[in-house]
Every structure is written in structure tokens, then in C-alpha cells.
Amino acid sequence: MRSGDFSEAVVVFDRLLRHAPDHPEILVQRAEAHAALNNFSAAMADLDLALQLSPGLANAHLNRGRVHRLSGDFQRAMVEIEAAIQAAPDLVPALEERAGLHMESSDLERAWIDAERAIRLSPGDAELHGLLGLIHLRANRHSLALAAFDRAVHFDPALDYAWWWRGELKEAMGNLPGGAGDKAHAVHLNPAIAD
């Protein structure tokens, strides 16, 4: 989405909230739009209000975690993601977010566990398979990474980073033509990926 789309979404959510001011899920959705516009203070204000209206609302905690992550506060992000998972243990986006946070902190075993759990709940999610591929790549489990990237591009043939990293792995494993082909396809999908 372009920033104009998110700005328009904020306007739409403003209108909806005039008619349903105590609707926490609308507040969470408006917060997501604010966060996409890097307006983190407005996003947090909406999420705080959503939690006042509905304490323990998993999506509000999840999005508070995302806002904290985007603003660079990984500790607070993890606290909020943990609260989201406590409220809704099978909330796939929260498991995905926690896996990413674990990966960023180099806790690759926990990242792997969360990614696998999310995949069991949503087996056809290409992004989850791509994340698992990145986790395995960081842990130098190249065969597992390659298999995860294979599944990612199978489920979403337009997932550019999965093509790119699959190509990198193929080249590292000696399959130069296959790797070059995958990377060329990634660049076709997203010319900026090679930068």
C-alpha cells in the first residue's frame, strides 16, 4: 500500500469511530494505519484506548509490539508480543512476530520453534516458510533453509526475497546456474532486491 492509502484508511476509521467510538478492533485497525505512516504516537494512543476498552485484546498487544519493534525498542516489543500470545496462544501473526524478534536477538532455536508452530497453524503461509528459511540460513542449516525457501516460492511465486535467498544458497552449494536463475527471477520481481 502507498502512504496515501494508509492516510485514506485513517480517515475511514475516523468516520467509523464517530459512529462506534467504543469499538476496540476499529481502534486497532486505525493504529495499524498510523503505524504504517510512522505515526507511532497516534498508533500507541489508539492501542492504549483499545486495551482500556477491552483489556487483554490480543491484537492490541500484537500491534503495540510491532510499534515498539518499529521504533527500535525490542524489549518492550517482546513484552507486548508475549501478552498477545498469552491472550491468544494460536495467534499466528504474534508467533511470527516473536519468531522474528528471537531471530533478531540471535535466539535461533526459539525462533525456529515459534516459526514451526505458526506453520503448523497456517501451513500454506509463504511468509512463514520464508521466515523459517531465514532462521535456518542464520543458523547455517542450509539444507533446511533451502527446503523452506522452496516451500515459500511454491506457496507464493511472487515472494522475491525467498527467490533471492534460495538463489544465494544454491550458489553456495555449487549450483551456480540454478542460483543465478533464482536471483534473476527475484530481480525481475523486485529490481531493488539486489541492492
Side-chain angles (χ1 to χ4, degrees), residues 80-185:
E80 293 294 342
I81 298 304
E82 293 288 351
I85 292 170
Q86 184 175 357
D90 292 338
L91 185 62
V92 171
L95 293 167
E96 179 180 15
E97 194 74 29
R98 187 170 71 178
L101 287 168
H102 283 313
M103 183 177 72
E104 289 304 313
S105 69
S106 297
D107 189 346
L108 300 176
E109 293 307 310
R110 284 187 178 172
W112 185 5
I113 290 166
D114 280 341
E116 287 284 358
R117 182 171 162 204
I119 287 169
R120 279 193 303 278
L121 294 165
S122 185
D125 187 321
E127 290 283 348
L128 292 174
H129 290 282
L131 174 62
L132 183 61
L134 291 172
I135 292 164
H136 286 314
L137 182 63
R138 294 254 325 252
N140 293 314
R141 295 184 287 252
H142 294 160
S143 295
L144 292 174
L146 188 59
F149 290 133
D150 284 345
R151 289 188 303 273
V153 299
H154 169 77
F155 289 121
D156 182 358
L159 195 60
D160 55 2
Y161 76 88
W163 284 100
W164 180 266
W165 286 110
R166 188 173 87 162
E168 288 280 329
L169 276 168
K170 284 181 178 179
E171 288 179 349
M173 297 169 94
N175 181 353
L176 299 180
D182 281 357
K183 289 168 67 176
H185 187 68

Side-chain angles (χ1 to χ4, degrees), residues 1-10 12-13 29 32-34 36-37:
M1 259 189 178
R2 297 180 317 269
S3 65
D5 296 334
F6 290 114
S7 295
E8 180 59 29
V10 169
V12 169
F13 292 130
Q29 290 174 335
E32 290 174 358
H34 281 306
L37 294 167

